[in-house]
Amino acid sequence: MASASQDTAKGRKDLTGPALRTFFRIAEAWGLKEPEQMSLLGLDSRSTLQAWKRGAVAAIPKDALERISYILGIYKGLHILLPKTADEWVRKPNMAALFGGGSALQRMTSGNVADLYVVRQYIDAQRG
């Protein structure tokens, strides 16, 4: 019988390919530059980002999967709220207190997974 940590590692391995493909499609839709992609994924190495783009990774860290999950939720929520302008919204200045006049992307690329979480919560709250 597999241990819980083995099950978790296998789950991450199974999710890695689909999660990364989804992330890079969203990155393209949002027009993200490499530094923005790295920040959203919690990476500090460009070579790691390049390897992930090529699919040359067996399993990404749990933190990266969590980040991609939030990004996917933000992307889907925006497409429900703003079907025509969803992808542009992430770069637009926003006067909501959460963003303080900056863009959602500025908040999300702070490097903190908590900022992805609060942006996701904000989008979900807007949906009602």
Side-chain angles (χ1 to χ4, degrees):
M1 194 156 130
S3 71
S5 64
Q6 286 173 318
D7 288 344
T8 303
K10 181 178 178 347
R12 276 191 295 128
K13 191 173 182 179
D14 292 344
L15 291 171
T16 288
L20 287 175
R21 285 189 298 276
T22 300
F23 173 79
F24 289 118
R25 279 197 298 269
I26 293 170
E28 189 175 327
W30 286 355
L32 299 180
K33 297 168 185 65
E34 280 192 344
E36 293 168 330
Q37 294 175 31
M38 289 170 56
S39 179
L40 288 174
L41 291 169
L43 298 176
D44 53 15
S45 163
R46 188 171 175 270
S47 59
T48 300
L49 179 70
Q50 293 299 325
W52 287 13
K53 278 185 181 175
R54 290 191 309 273
V57 57
I60 60 175
K62 183 176 178 259
D63 174 72
L65 272 177
E66 181 182 0
R67 289 168 176 272
I68 292 170
S69 172
Y70 289 136
I71 292 162
L72 176 59
I74 292 164
Y75 178 84
K76 287 176 72 173
L78 285 172
H79 277 267
I80 291 166
L81 279 170
L82 309 164
K84 291 180 171 56
T85 60
D87 295 332
E88 293 81 38
W89 182 89
V90 294
R91 289 194 183 276
K92 289 186 175 167
N94 194 315
M95 295 316 296
L98 179 67
F99 306 111
S103 70
L105 188 60
Q106 285 173 305
R107 179 74 191 247
M108 292 188 293
T109 55
S110 70
N112 298 318
V113 72
D115 286 310
L116 294 170
Y117 172 76
V118 295
V119 173
R120 167 76 191 267
Q121 278 192 315
Y122 174 82
I123 301 297
D124 288 348
Q126 297 305 306
R127 285 178 47 205

